[in-house]
Amino acid sequence: MNILAIETSCDETAAAVVSDAHAPGASWVKSSVVASQDDVHQRYGGVVPELASRRHVELLPSIVQQALERADTDLGSIDGVAVTASPGLIAALWVGVAHAKALAYSINRPLIAVNHLAAHLAAVLLDGKPCPWPNLGLLVSGGHTNLYWGEAARGYRLLATTRDDAAGEAFDKVAKLLGLGYPGGREIEQRAKGAPMNAANPLPKSKLKSGEMGFTFSGLKTAVAQWRQKQPEMAVEVVAHAFQERVFETLSEQVEKSMDLLRPRALIFSGGVAANRRLRQGFEALCQRSGIAFKVPDFAWCTDNAAMIGALGLLKLRAGQKAPFDLRAQPYETLQSDFDPEFFPPVQTA
Ligand code: KG4
Ligand code: ZN
């Protein structure tokens, strides 16, 4: 099956053609086009929703066209149109949803509504290799820091989320404090590499009580600001490294706790922050020690893209989950502590 997928939930205008009609183990991605809007939002230090949606309106038709051309296909060979319908910036989401409705209607093919967060988890399937079940899904992006529990027959449910900032947001804010560019995650990672080995780390560890599930990053961010004030001469590399290490500890503490409790067969690490090599290596080592599989998307499928929307779109199409043409975009993250087939459909295992 071939899916045309569209993503406009934030500041990337993206389209992809994704297909599962390949030899086992071959990539599902036939094409993926991502137009980043960093140039539009950089000077504001964050995404300006109105500007994001205007840019989506301008770019989306040609991005879709490019995705079809690069896949060497046309609308006649598309079996369904998948689109991010939640969560995200509402006006930005509507641009993608309206466009997807028009396309699906014009070719008389199903419209498939995709949750952006679930799609970040599904991104690990794009390499064409199955992910062992049950698994833990750690989704760490600019807007979310969520840990999920996944079972093949039931999909995913939420185990833990952030009490305040998302980890990616903390990366971006700390980068700003350190005078680095936007988006900040990549910049912090680069600078952290330059820190001397064994530099002292005065930043506090996460403040949650020992039995609690969840993440918190705002105290860490404040501690960085205070450190900067007290010691403005401290090398940016040392601060970036100290911050990144504490982020890893905060994330891995909850993951380890859940591994001990639930005994998964794999850990999925996904979302924009999963593009960070230090964090990837840290989780890979953790999985090796625990004897479970580590699944992380290719770098291209960590930050926002439409290929991951296509990956989940395919699973939903296979499960017969079509969206009605009065589908509405929904801006909020609906925190689901139960398995919800609309979020991630149960999948058949071989
Ligand atoms: O998934 P994503 O593209 O968008 C959201 O859905 O939020 O994630 C963007 C986030 C930004 O906060 C960015 O700073 C972070 O991912 N990020 C990184 C790295 N590359 C992107 N964080 C840490 N290290 C990186 N290499
Ligand atoms: Zn995202």
Side-chain angles (χ1 to χ4, degrees):
M1 278 189 292
N2 293 322
I3 290 263
L4 173 65
I6 291 175
E7 155 64 36
T8 63
S9 67
C10 192
D11 62 338
E12 260 88 26
T13 316
V17 176
V18 175
S19 168
D20 59 357
H22 283 302
S27 168
W28 287 6
V29 185
K30 286 191 147 186
S31 69
S32 170
V33 185
V34 182
S36 159
Q37 301 182 0
D38 285 351
D39 58 324
V40 177
H41 306 286
Q42 216 146 25
R43 75 170 101 153
Y44 305 101
V47 178
V48 183
E50 174 70 19
L51 297 182
S53 6
R54 287 189 204 177
R55 186 52 87 86
H56 290 316
V57 171
E58 287 161 18
L59 292 183
L60 188 55
S62 67
I63 297 291
V64 167
Q65 197 53 41
Q66 281 178 51
L68 289 167
E69 280 167 16
R70 288 191 198 174
D72 201 16
T73 191
D74 54 30
L75 284 173
S77 313
I78 296 298
D79 300 299
V81 181
V83 63
T84 307
S86 66
L89 304 170
I90 186 64
L93 286 167
W94 270 122
V95 178
V97 169
H99 200 79
K101 282 183 183 182
L103 285 173
Y105 187 77
S106 71
I107 58 174
N108 196 22
R109 291 282 184 269
L111 175 71
I112 301 143
V114 167
N115 182 298
H116 181 93
L117 308 182
H120 269 299
L121 296 174
V124 292
L125 301 173
L126 289 169
D127 63 6
K129 296 174 192 129
C131 176
W133 299 93
N135 55 58
L136 284 171
L138 179 64
L139 162 56
V140 192
S141 71
H144 304 92
T145 308
N146 291 348
L147 182 62
Y148 295 94
W149 172 245
E151 294 175 22
R154 298 204 283 178
Y156 284 93
R157 75 178 176 84
L158 188 70
L159 290 177
T161 188
T162 182
R163 305 285 167 94
D164 37 61
D165 292 345
E169 194 180 355
F171 266 101
D172 294 334
K173 287 180 179 166
V174 166
K176 203 168 172 184
L177 277 172
L178 299 180
L180 304 175
Y182 169 85
R186 222 174 24 216
E187 301 268 342
I188 298 241
E189 179 182 8
Q190 290 307 325
R191 293 306 187 105
K193 281 188 209 154
M197 297 282 274
N198 304 325
N201 190 344
L203 295 174
K205 296 199 173 184
S206 171
K207 287 264 170 23
L208 289 185
K209 290 188 201 119
S210 64
E212 279 182 303
M213 292 293 288
F215 306 96
T216 169
F217 297 98
S218 73
L220 181 56
K221 186 188 64 194
T222 309
V224 172
Q226 287 167 347
W227 189 11
R228 282 301 272 176
Q229 258 173 1
K230 271 194 219 143
Q231 289 181 280
E233 74 290 353
M234 182 57 71
V236 165
E237 285 75 11
V238 172
V239 183
H241 180 263
F243 168 75
Q244 188 172 264
E245 291 309 300
R246 288 287 184 257
V247 171
F248 177 68
E249 286 163 17
T250 305
L251 295 172
S252 61
E253 195 188 10
Q254 296 295 314
V255 169
E256 280 188 274
K257 213 163 28 175
S258 308
M259 279 179 177
D260 289 346
L261 216 66
L262 297 163
R263 304 272 162 213
R265 291 179 58 217
L267 169 69
I268 294 173
F269 180 37
S270 69
V273 178
N276 184 296
R277 285 191 161 80
R278 158 70 186 107
L279 302 185
R280 288 165 90 100
Q281 284 159 2
F283 284 118
E284 185 163 23
L286 179 63
C287 288
Q288 258 167 15
R289 284 200 301 277
S290 313
I292 68 170
F294 178 58
K295 295 286 284 182
V296 63
D298 263 18
F299 288 99
W301 319 133
C302 286
T303 45
D304 287 349
N305 64 86
M308 67 182 196
I309 307 303
L312 189 57
L314 271 174
L315 299 186
K316 292 190 113 175
L317 189 59
R318 280 189 207 154
Q321 294 183 353
K322 300 169 196 170
F325 274 102
D326 62 357
L327 169 71
R328 296 173 71 100
Q330 201 276 106
Y332 305 110
E333 177 183 1
T334 36
L335 291 173
Q336 24 76 266
S337 54
D338 279 328
F339 295 95
D340 172 4
E342 271 305 308
F343 179 77
F344 201 106
V347 295
Q348 298 231 318
T349 47

